[in-house]
Amino acid sequence: MADFLQYIYVFLWGALAVLMFVTGFKQGAVAFVLSLFFVFMTVWYAFKSFGGYPMFEGELGIIFRCVLGGFFALFIVIYFMTKLRKNKK
């Protein structure tokens, strides 16, 4: 059952990436960055599920956490930039 859920996660991340890319034209930069984040998650989980690579262990786990931290910092910067632009109007 756990393997089946890993496959579902891959398709879930992929569907979210497509959804955020489509809504990105209406929502702005945050949606495009979220789309890139979901593409990253799709690829990462696909390597684990379909390739059998240990993507959350050792050095790959550290890289995963660093990339997640980078996306989080980027989300915060874009969020505050949109707030400042909104307050100026």
Side-chain angles (χ1 to χ4, degrees), residues 1-40:
M1 186 65 159
D3 291 335
F4 176 73
L5 288 177
Q6 291 298 318
Y7 299 139
I8 295 297
Y9 283 141
V10 172
F11 293 112
L12 174 70
W13 291 124
L16 287 172
V18 170
L19 178 68
M20 291 311 295
F21 183 77
V22 170
T23 60
F25 295 108
K26 187 175 184 181
Q27 298 296 327
V30 175
F32 284 119
V33 173
L34 276 172
S35 177
L36 289 174
F37 170 72
F38 290 138
V39 166
F40 167 75

Side-chain angles (χ1 to χ4, degrees), residues 81-89:
M81 286 175 57
T82 56
K83 280 291 200 181
L84 288 174
R85 286 183 190 159
K86 194 175 187 181
N87 286 340
K88 286 183 180 179
K89 289 182 181 180

Side-chain angles (χ1 to χ4, degrees), residues 18-87:
V18 170
L19 178 68
M20 291 311 295
F21 183 77
V22 170
T23 60
F25 295 108
K26 187 175 184 181
Q27 298 296 327
V30 175
F32 284 119
V33 173
L34 276 172
S35 177
L36 289 174
F37 170 72
F38 290 138
V39 166
F40 167 75
M41 294 296 283
T42 301
V43 171
W44 203 266
Y45 272 85
F47 278 140
K48 180 174 179 14
S49 298
F50 300 123
Y53 298 111
M55 299 303 287
F56 299 105
E57 300 171 9
E59 292 174 2
L60 291 175
I62 294 170
I63 292 169
F64 179 73
R65 289 182 191 106
C66 290
V67 170
L68 287 182
F71 271 114
F72 182 65
L74 187 61
F75 292 145
I76 290 173
V77 167
I78 291 175
Y79 174 76
F80 283 116
M81 286 175 57
T82 56
K83 280 291 200 181
L84 288 174
R85 286 183 190 159
K86 194 175 187 181
N87 286 340

